[in-house]
Amino acid sequence: MPDYVPSPRQWVRDQVELYERSGGTEGTTLRDTGLPVIVVTHAGNKTGAIRKTPLMRVKDGAKYVLVGSMGGAPTHPVWVYNLRANPAVEIRDHTAVQAMRVREVDDETERARLWKLAVAAFPPYEEYQAKTTRRIPVFIAEPRG
Ligand code: F42
């Protein structure tokens, strides 16, 4: 079993720690926005190490939409490459933990629909996309059978 390697960013690491230690009852929102967050557990594409990445909770029915915005930074977050290489993830949404599989959404029509859901759940995504020339990656996560 590979080791869990926490994020090098203190605030991210702290959020994951509190979210998990409380069993999903604390640390479940983004700072002072009050908006809900999920934790995506996945494997590093080079090391195979276990990574835990908090993301905004965007739902599409029973599925989750994962948005690689990273505040509109010029490069994709590393987790995007991890998910492309290893699509099997585990998603914690408050107290519920589910094994899921992700798929990157390339189809423009599908992406546009999911992007609307994402912006409705977390309006700053729109501003992040405007800030960067890269096309922000969008993934859909579905329960693994
Ligand atoms: N980020 C988003 O992109 N979207 C969101 O909706 C979002 C919401 C959110 C809510 C709460 C919160 O606390 C954080 C939130 N974030 C959101 C930030 C998110 O959690 C990530 O921190 C951010 O997206 C950056 O992701 P990252 O994967 O680039 O993280 C960096 C800092 C990181 O962990 N780097 C590691 C390191 O050690 O430098 C790399 C870890 C890694 O995966 N390594 C790979 C491996 O094989 O192990 C190899 C790396 C390679 O070279 O390919």
Side-chain angles (χ1 to χ4, degrees):
M1 185 71 174
D3 285 341
Y4 164 50
V5 181
S7 170
R9 296 183 182 175
Q10 184 77 46
W11 69 278
V12 172
R13 193 159 70 225
D14 289 350
Q15 173 143 39
V16 170
E17 210 272 319
L18 178 59
Y19 204 132
E20 298 222 313
R21 178 165 44 85
S22 67
T25 58
E26 289 175 59
T28 58
T29 58
L30 175 65
R31 291 167 167 173
D32 43 0
T33 66
L35 293 171
V37 167
I38 57 172
V39 176
V40 181
T41 299
H42 60 283
N45 71 93
K46 291 182 184 156
T47 60
I50 295 172
R51 308 284 180 185
K52 291 178 185 282
T53 302
L55 298 176
M56 301 316 295
R57 184 180 68 173
V58 180
K59 289 210 79 177
D60 177 26
K63 304 175 190 171
Y64 291 86
V65 183
L66 315 181
V67 180
S69 54
M70 201 165 65
T75 56
H76 295 325
V78 176
W79 63 261
V80 162
Y81 301 98
N82 295 342
L83 263 48
R84 284 175 179 166
N86 299 307
V89 303
E90 188 184 85
I91 292 186
R92 175 182 276 279
D93 180 357
H94 294 78
T95 55
V97 181
Q98 261 186 296
M100 303 200 108
R101 183 170 310 281
V102 301
R103 165 174 69 80
E104 190 165 0
V105 177
D106 295 320
D107 178 77
E108 284 303 332
T109 311
E110 187 183 13
R111 188 179 179 282
R113 185 181 72 80
L114 298 176
W115 183 257
K116 267 195 203 151
L117 292 178
V119 171
F122 187 61
Y125 280 145
E126 198 149 47
E127 181 189 310
Y128 297 163
Q129 181 60 90
K131 234 169 94 175
T132 180
T133 52
R134 72 187 169 93
R135 186 169 178 274
I136 291 180
V138 172
F139 293 84
I140 188 103
E142 304 180 55
R144 254 189 282 157

